[in-house]
Amino acid sequence: FWLKVHARRRRVRRPPPQPERERAQHRAMGKFLKPGRVVVILQGRQAGKKAVIVKVFDDGSKARPFGHCLVAGVERPPMKVTKR
């Protein structure tokens, strides 16, 4: 006596097909690295430290052919200025 088990297929809704023109276009990533913005360094010796963006190289340079930025470290936040 063999028991046959029939597994039901779940229907998966797929998005409607896009025209070739729309599929070929890639969305560019927004420019979120701007001078003056405070960032946290994620890799390297300074990982976890706060820094301020000084200059942005979106297209890269000859030495570094990828987008990068020049940052200045912030050891502690600036003191509050009070007039006497």
Side-chain angles (χ1 to χ4, degrees):
F1 177 75
W2 291 94
L3 183 64
K4 287 188 176 181
V5 178
H6 178 68
R8 288 184 69 183
R9 285 190 186 180
R10 296 176 83 188
R11 285 194 176 182
V12 179
R13 288 187 171 244
R14 295 183 184 173
Q18 296 177 345
E20 291 290 326
R21 200 172 20 150
E22 289 181 21
R23 206 177 310 157
Q25 293 176 351
H26 291 287
R27 286 191 171 180
M29 196 164 142
K31 307 235 188 249
F32 61 94
L33 297 175
K34 298 176 183 173
R37 183 163 288 193
V38 177
V39 293
V40 176
I41 308 293
L42 297 178
Q43 292 183 333
R45 190 175 67 176
Q46 304 295 328
K49 305 280 190 198
K50 287 183 275 186
V52 176
I53 296 177
V54 177
K55 188 172 182 182
V56 179
F57 301 94
D58 284 326
D59 300 326
S61 60
K62 284 188 177 181
R64 294 179 181 87
F66 48 84
H68 59 282
C69 57
L70 176 69
V71 296
V74 177
E75 191 170 332
R76 60 179 183 259
M79 301 285 285
K80 189 172 182 180
V81 177
T82 55
K83 284 190 172 181
R84 290 184 182 189

